[in-house]
Amino acid sequence: MRILTCPGQLQRLEDALRRSLPASLPVLGAVMTVARGNPAAHQVLVDSWPDFAVVLTRLHPEELADPGDFYANQLTAFYHEEGAWRAVLGNPEAVDWSRAFQMQGMQDGVHEAVSEVAAAKGLRVKVYRYRAMLSPEPPRSRAQIPAGLRLAPLSPSHVPLLNATWSFGGTGRSRRFLEGLVRALPSACILDPRGRPLSWSLVDPLGCLSHGYTVSAWRGRGLTGLVLAALGRELHARGFPLYCGVLPCNAPSLRALHAAGFLPQPGTFYMLLSTPK
């Protein structure tokens, strides 16, 4: 595997991945984050260059302090040849199966190959299937910010609330991960007069909208659209595709995203969690 660090190579790879949208969404977002300052300390690997069959992004190995931390240890994959993808999964220099990780991708072969390799190693993989939603234009919102409220980025002081309301939260690892996102990557929220978040969304190292949430007392008032519009303008200005994954059963989130101009994408957005024994 070859690690790409040259800005020209990353730009060439970004252009190639754009031609494979939407299947390349998670990898494209990760590559763009690396190319634009790499605030999350990730790496971009290819099996060959310039004619690649597989792209793998991952957290830099030096950042893997906790072998059980699948929050921080994020990988994405995109491939042209499934055989080459399976070869990468069998390469310990590319994928460290002794550590917990999450892998995201939008090709069925990503899911099948990871599950089969994990089973052969006696490892557990939990599969989450999301619907990918993409906004082709900066999100729109017809709502106005209610009197007394204001739009702002999230701050580290808000992390305990984020951790308590996130479906994957509630642990020390999730708290550290969320704090890293808030400190390093774009976010937006609506604050009440006391500075408490009422509605928010973050961006993760894959350029994906993450942990969108509105407190129950303020739902149905258009706050989600205001947050998405603010965050979307920033991401679109930097050239990022604005996308997220939503569980198919999460009707309220799907309605809010549709109202903001997001469109469902073909295929399944997989998140695969591998945890060693």
Side-chain angles (χ1 to χ4, degrees), residues 54-218:
V54 179
V55 183
L56 178 76
T57 72
R58 67 184 186 188
L59 184 69
H60 195 293
E62 293 181 357
E63 301 292 326
L64 297 173
D66 180 354
D69 189 356
F70 66 80
Y71 295 94
N73 194 16
Q74 290 182 310
L75 296 86
T76 68
F78 175 78
Y79 64 87
H80 293 300
E81 300 174 12
E82 187 165 341
W85 167 230
R86 290 178 179 269
V88 167
L89 286 174
N91 182 351
E93 294 184 0
V95 179
D96 185 351
W97 290 89
S98 69
R99 295 177 176 271
F101 64 80
Q102 60 169 290
M103 184 175 293
Q104 300 188 26
M106 284 189 60
Q107 294 166 284
D108 286 340
V110 169
H111 157 230
E112 294 167 354
V114 170
S115 298
E116 289 174 13
V117 173
K121 294 177 178 292
L123 300 174
R124 297 171 297 170
V125 172
K126 190 167 186 179
V127 181
Y128 294 87
R129 294 173 173 85
Y130 295 92
R131 180 174 297 170
M133 302 292 290
L134 174 70
S135 176
E137 301 292 338
R140 57 182 181 269
S141 175
R142 299 184 181 90
Q144 300 293 321
I145 298 178
L149 307 186
R150 61 186 176 92
L151 186 67
L154 288 160
S155 81
S157 66
H158 302 144
V159 169
L161 175 62
L162 272 58
N163 196 31
T165 53
W166 190 26
S167 59
F168 284 96
T171 71
R173 287 169 174 155
S174 60
R175 179 190 56 75
R176 289 193 299 271
F177 177 67
L178 289 168
E179 183 170 351
L181 298 187
V182 169
R183 291 185 180 278
L185 294 163
S187 65
C189 69
I190 301 291
L191 299 176
D192 71 8
R194 296 184 180 183
R196 296 174 299 193
L198 302 176
S199 182
W200 61 83
S201 185
L202 302 86
V203 177
D204 72 9
L206 315 183
C208 181
L209 296 176
S210 175
H211 189 14
Y213 191 87
T214 300
V215 298
S216 58
W218 282 87

